[in-house]
Amino acid sequence: RRRAALEALARRGGAAEVAGVVQAVLAAAPGGDRDVAERALVAICTTNPGHPAAAEAFLTRFRDASDTDREALLPALARGGGPGTLAVGDARVADADSSRRRLGLKALSLWPDASVAGRLLDQLGRTDDAAERDVLVGGLIRIAPRPDNGLNDAGRLDLLRKTMDLCRRDEDRARVLERANAIRTIEALRFVAGYLDNPTLAQPACLSVVELAHHQKLREDHKPEFTTALDKVIATAKNTEHVERAQAYKAGRTWERKKG
């Protein structure tokens, strides 16, 4: 019943309901009902009628909350974005207290679009703290390829390339390659295909090649380059499904996941 009520508020709730949904977030354990409550809060503050007033009400509740409650409310606040929330994040990033600073970095890493990319890149270039770098790199990898991040395809790929250059761990580089297939351009194929000969990163590159090749028009418009990349996937991929997909796409066939 509570979940149904929250889902209804996500569709039509306004500023008057913010306090109640905030309490629902705080009362719920992470996951499950908290996720539903957070989604409702974000919708109320970003898309529902009267959302500017709702966003301001939520920001006020956040400022008045205890440090513990602020940490619980931060994901929903950050995902809503907005100048008021950005000011909160920037103030915490500049705080001398490491826990408050990390909270600010987390807020920026959860931002709904690429407007904070410069801040994330700047902070990543400044810090050697492993935990901070994890937050910043994770935020950039999440934000950069999103189709709704406010950048065009070239801008999204450029941001992903910059993120790759700042990665220090192969696991992060692999995540960059895996996310690159969300950018459906020949330039994205060229980017990931450049790692097919890298013994450490070839497998995530294989995944993105076949994901990009799944889009028939893109594949057919650039057939020679896709054929070369798919041949490398066939020769390199350890995942049999990736090999099967590459073979199908190279032959101009569609591919469907086997049932069962």
Side-chain angles (χ1 to χ4, degrees):
R1 186 177 298 175
R2 177 179 298 177
R3 183 170 294 199
L6 288 168
E7 289 172 347
L9 288 173
R11 294 189 295 271
R12 56 178 179 271
E17 286 73 42
V18 165
V21 181
V22 164
Q23 288 306 309
V25 171
L26 296 175
D33 285 349
R34 178 176 288 187
D35 290 344
V36 176
E38 286 180 355
R39 287 195 294 270
L41 199 47
V42 172
I44 289 169
C45 295
T46 59
T47 60
N48 287 6
H51 62 83
E56 188 59 35
F58 182 22
L59 188 58
T60 298
R61 297 284 298 188
F62 180 86
R63 287 172 174 154
D64 292 341
S66 67
D67 287 344
T68 300
D69 286 351
R70 284 176 185 170
E71 188 163 356
L73 294 170
L74 180 70
L77 186 75
R79 289 184 179 109
T85 304
L86 189 57
V88 169
D90 283 344
R92 279 161 177 72
V93 168
D95 200 300
D97 181 270
S98 60
S99 62
R100 288 178 178 270
R101 171 176 162 78
R102 199 160 293 164
L103 191 65
L105 294 175
K106 183 178 179 182
L108 295 182
S109 76
L110 294 171
W111 214 253
D113 57 44
S115 61
V116 298
R119 286 172 166 83
L120 293 172
L121 289 167
D122 178 63
Q123 291 298 323
L124 190 55
R126 292 169 178 264
T127 184
D128 284 316
D129 182 275
E132 290 189 357
R133 291 189 65 83
D134 283 350
V135 171
L136 291 162
V137 168
L140 284 164
I141 292 172
R142 183 187 67 81
I143 290 170
R146 286 179 56 136
D148 58 350
N149 71 2
L151 299 175
N152 61 21
D153 287 338
R156 292 160 67 208
L157 184 58
D158 180 62
L159 180 54
L160 208 56
R161 287 181 184 276
K162 289 177 180 176
T163 303
M164 178 67 99
D165 290 341
L166 289 167
C167 289
R168 294 181 180 176
R169 304 185 306 180
D170 283 333
E171 62 192 91
D172 292 327
R173 296 184 182 100
R175 289 164 61 206
V176 169
L177 293 172
E178 289 169 356
R179 293 277 287 152
N181 64 69
I183 306 169
R184 298 173 185 174
T185 64
I186 187 59
E187 289 79 16
L189 175 75
R190 292 166 184 160
F191 171 61
V192 298
Y195 291 88
L196 288 170
D197 293 322
N198 183 312
T200 306
L201 298 171
Q203 299 313 306
C206 285
L207 169 63
S208 272
V209 169
V210 295
E211 288 290 336
L212 287 166
H214 179 73
H215 303 284
Q216 184 177 8
K217 186 176 188 310
L218 176 63
R219 186 177 75 235
E220 292 301 319
D221 285 350
H222 305 280
K223 191 170 183 177
E225 288 187 71
F226 268 97
T227 297
T228 299
L230 290 169
D231 278 339
K232 284 194 174 183
V233 172
I234 292 167
T236 304
K238 297 177 181 179
N239 186 309
T240 56
E241 182 179 284
H242 296 168
V243 174
E244 290 171 1
R245 292 180 69 179
Q247 290 170 334
Y249 298 141
K250 182 184 174 184
R253 302 194 308 268
T254 57
W255 177 86
E256 294 183 5
R257 193 179 304 279
K258 294 177 182 178
K259 295 181 180 179

